Amino acid sequence: MVRAARPLLLLLAFLLRADAETPPRFTRTPVDQTGVSGGVASFICQASGDPRPKIVWNKKGKKVSNQRFEVIEFDDGSGSVLRIQPLRTPRDEAIYECVASNNVGEISVSTKLTVLREDQIPRGFPTIDMGPQLKVVERTRTATMLCAASGTPDPEITWFKDFLPVDTSNNNGRIKQLRSGIDFSPSSLSLLFNVLSMSVMS
């Protein structure tokens, strides 16, 4: 009886383990971008799954490998950012692919990068009118950083810290992003946060 029960227990343990594993699923996918030669582009890709998926960036079917290409991983291992700087035309114009895989499965998503020369920039293309300034503040004090941009239609501003996007929804209220009503362009946003243990740098 004991011998018969053992295989059943092993089978049950295997089934429970298999049931707990889940294939990758994208929680954030990169979006097509248009940049200017000499500028920078950042593509964001995140995925969930069990085991945690591994994120790989490909260009034309091959893993990205270049001194101007940097992959920055999120601290929680949920994904990474592909940062390209400085942009070069036409060599950087391509379809880029984010691949998420674990031992249960593999998924991929593609995004397009277009790089313009200075003489190709169309009217209304986004420009930064005022960028964040270097700041040094006392511990526990509040620091305010302002960025103003213009364009047609109004540009959307995204904040990055150490090349990773700032998550204003998961930081215990320390970081807040506000749309400013003062005399700047319509797309001016200020970032407020309490500095606990470090100086604030743009």
Side-chain angles (χ1 to χ4, degrees):
M1 188 72 178
V2 175
R3 290 182 178 179
R6 239 175 142 177
L8 290 175
L9 289 173
L10 290 173
L11 178 61
L12 179 61
F14 174 79
L15 291 174
L16 288 173
R17 181 181 177 186
D19 185 59
E21 295 182 340
T22 57
R25 180 180 66 85
F26 285 120
T27 57
R28 187 169 183 176
T29 55
V31 297
D32 294 348
Q33 291 190 42
T34 300
V36 179
S37 181
V40 60
S42 294
F43 294 101
I44 306 167
C45 188
Q46 291 176 279
S48 62
D50 187 13
R52 176 161 285 165
K54 178 182 178 182
I55 300 289
V56 174
W57 290 93
N58 294 330
K59 177 186 178 184
K60 297 179 180 178
K62 297 182 179 180
K63 186 177 179 179
V64 294
S65 178
N66 190 296
Q67 289 184 346
R68 295 182 298 105
F69 290 62
E70 184 179 7
V71 176
I72 305 99
E73 296 185 356
F74 284 84
D75 293 336
D76 60 3
S78 64
S80 63
V81 172
L82 173 62
R83 179 182 169 88
I84 308 171
Q85 185 183 28
L87 293 174
R88 294 287 183 258
T89 183
R91 71 177 72 174
D92 292 338
E93 289 195 326
I95 300 296
Y96 294 84
E97 184 182 37
C98 172
V99 181
S101 62
N102 60 15
N103 58 11
V104 185
E106 178 179 296
I107 54 175
S108 64
V109 62
S110 298
T111 187
K112 181 180 180 181
L113 174 62
T114 302
V115 184
L116 304 175
R117 300 190 310 268
E118 290 286 345
D119 60 347
Q120 294 177 315
I121 299 176
R123 293 186 62 182
F125 195 81
T127 59
I128 295 179
D129 303 320
M130 183 173 62
Q133 302 297 314
L134 176 68
K135 286 181 179 288
V136 178
V137 296
E138 188 180 344
R139 284 185 63 180
T140 73
R141 298 289 184 178
T142 297
T144 302
M145 306 190 80
L146 181 66
C147 179
S150 59
T152 305
D154 288 343
E156 178 182 345
I157 295 176
T158 303
W159 288 86
F160 287 76
K161 178 180 179 292
D162 297 331
F163 304 139
L164 293 172
V166 174
D167 185 0
T168 58
S169 63
N170 187 26
N171 54 77
N172 299 320
R174 291 182 58 244
I175 303 176
K176 296 178 182 179
Q177 183 169 303
L178 307 173
R179 185 169 295 276
S180 176
I182 56 180
D183 296 331
F184 293 102
S185 68
S187 296
S188 58
L189 296 172
S190 57
L191 188 69
L192 309 176
F193 55 98
N194 291 318
V195 181
L196 298 183
S197 59
M198 62 182 179
S199 299
V200 184
M201 301 181 69
S202 59

